[in-house]
Amino acid sequence: MLKRQLYIQLISNCIIPILGFWLWNWSLYFILLFYILDILSSEIVHFLKVRKIKEIQETGLIAIPTRTYSIVSIMFLFLIILEINTGMILYHPTIDIKVEIWAFLSYVEMGIPQGIVLLPLIAMMTYTSYKVDFIVPKAYLYIQEKQSWKNHLKERFVLLSFCIILTLFAVSFNLKEWIVLVVILVFTTGYNYLQGIERISTYNNR
């Protein structure tokens, strides 16, 4: 059951970028903005998880306070978003970030500007994922706060490293947009699969 949910989630995460790029003529940065929103929402979810763990387990970090982890996490978040935007400027020197963001928010689908429905929709999907992956299986009962922070920061470090490496390759070899997108999809799908399998294994062995 859990594996089936994981597969459905992985497939759904690939469908929108694929359809957007090859069917709806979305630009690479247009798609990256979806990923940025996903990164922001996952940051919020992590803080919700930590709060729930502390609430149930009544634990506190001794060696390294939660505040320190929070600061480091937010710094990673800032650096990742900065790297994505800087990378796009290096990859497409003529790109106007402000214009692209406005085009993203004002994109009209079925007569409705995307910005009006997108943010509430992502918020709803994020909260649903939080409930299904964390609350329903009662993961807050066996996941330790310190380990949760370490896993989260490791994920952020891997993501930042990937963004930097991909930028270097894309700029140095002038990779086509579809190649960059395929690399992103392969990396994110593979990494999320491994993370999902690890979560399922932890849940089954608890």
Side-chain angles (χ1 to χ4, degrees), residues 33-34 36-38 40-41 44 101 104-107 112-127:
L33 287 172
F34 277 104
I36 290 176
L37 289 176
D38 183 63
L40 288 169
S41 64
I44 295 173
I101 292 176
F104 175 81
L105 294 175
S106 60
Y107 177 77
I112 303 174
Q114 182 172 258
I116 295 178
V117 297
L118 184 60
L119 296 182
L121 178 62
I122 289 178
M124 182 184 69
M125 292 175 62
T126 298
Y127 186 73

Side-chain angles (χ1 to χ4, degrees), residues 31-67:
I31 295 172
L32 287 176
L33 287 172
F34 277 104
Y35 281 103
I36 290 176
L37 289 176
D38 183 63
I39 292 168
L40 288 169
S41 64
S42 68
E43 188 73 12
I44 295 173
V45 165
H46 177 73
F47 276 87
L48 288 175
K49 290 179 179 179
V50 170
R51 186 178 69 175
K52 186 66 175 180
I53 292 172
K54 290 177 71 68
E55 174 188 329
I56 299 299
Q57 299 182 13
E58 296 183 351
T59 59
L61 298 176
I62 299 175
I64 304 177
T66 301
R67 181 176 298 178

Side-chain angles (χ1 to χ4, degrees), residues 105-144:
L105 294 175
S106 60
Y107 177 77
V108 176
E109 185 65 41
M110 295 188 300
I112 303 174
Q114 182 172 258
I116 295 178
V117 297
L118 184 60
L119 296 182
L121 178 62
I122 289 178
M124 182 184 69
M125 292 175 62
T126 298
Y127 186 73
T128 300
S129 175
Y130 164 70
K131 295 283 287 187
V132 172
D133 297 337
F134 190 75
I135 299 299
V136 173
K138 298 182 178 179
Y140 49 81
L141 294 177
Y142 57 88
I143 295 179
Q144 298 299 312

Side-chain angles (χ1 to χ4, degrees), residues 11-12 24 74-75 77 89 93 103 129 138 153 173 177 183:
I11 292 173
S12 62
W24 301 324
I74 292 173
M75 286 178 61
L77 176 66
I89 293 173
S129 175
K138 298 182 178 179
L153 295 180
F173 298 100
E177 284 197 354
V183 172

